[in-house]
Amino acid sequence: MQLTINKKEYDFKFGMAFLRELNEQAGLITQGVNVGLALQRVIPSLLGGDTAGLETVIWAGLKGGDYKVPLKKLDEWFESMDANQVKELMDQTLDELDKSNATHGPLAEARENIKAANEQ
């Protein structure tokens, strides 16, 4: 996935480096130890349309790719978008997460769990 943020183009790959960075940023802390599971925690927010969750994923993707974009600049970029642009970015990001072998499984599982919950 490629995005232009503040007039600069960035490549995203939602693989292992992304997962390590996401776990660093948003992993579950238990008894002072980061046990990961950040993807499992952020997927429901993405599926629910949470822009803050989307920004977390994008930021982890940037840092996992060794890009240095200050969070304040990313905030400004998100705030400059209209609702349709945010929805398109959300859809594009979910599509990319679905394609990656590192993230496909947890995303598919979350979708199944939501579907099962809605059928009850």
Side-chain angles (χ1 to χ4, degrees):
M1 180 168 96
Q2 288 188 325
L3 294 175
T4 302
I5 300 172
N6 300 327
K7 300 179 184 175
K8 184 172 179 187
E9 200 159 294
Y10 296 93
D11 293 314
F12 289 80
K13 183 175 180 188
F14 296 111
M16 295 308 296
F18 160 75
L19 286 177
R20 278 192 299 277
E21 186 59 40
L22 187 63
N23 280 334
E24 181 70 27
Q25 289 180 36
L28 179 64
I29 307 294
T30 302
Q31 297 180 353
V33 177
N34 187 333
V35 296
L37 300 174
L39 185 63
Q40 289 80 352
R41 294 175 68 197
V42 78
I43 285 174
S45 70
L46 292 177
L47 294 173
D50 179 27
T51 305
L54 177 59
E55 184 181 46
T56 298
V57 168
I58 296 297
W59 199 38
L62 286 167
K63 293 188 81 176
D66 293 326
Y67 297 114
K68 307 299 180 221
V69 176
L71 188 55
K72 182 178 179 177
K73 292 290 183 188
L74 198 56
D75 285 346
E76 291 169 2
W77 179 66
F78 266 92
E79 291 166 3
S80 73
M81 288 188 228
D82 64 33
N84 289 332
Q85 290 171 312
V86 172
K87 181 170 180 354
E88 286 176 23
L89 178 58
M90 183 76 73
D91 292 344
Q92 182 181 11
T93 302
L94 285 166
D95 286 347
E96 292 297 320
L97 290 170
D98 197 35
K99 292 176 190 174
S100 171
N101 65 352
T103 57
H104 171 78
L107 179 58
E109 183 176 339
R111 284 181 168 150
E112 284 297 317
N113 290 341
I114 290 169
K115 181 179 175 185
N118 287 336
E119 290 174 351
Q120 292 181 349

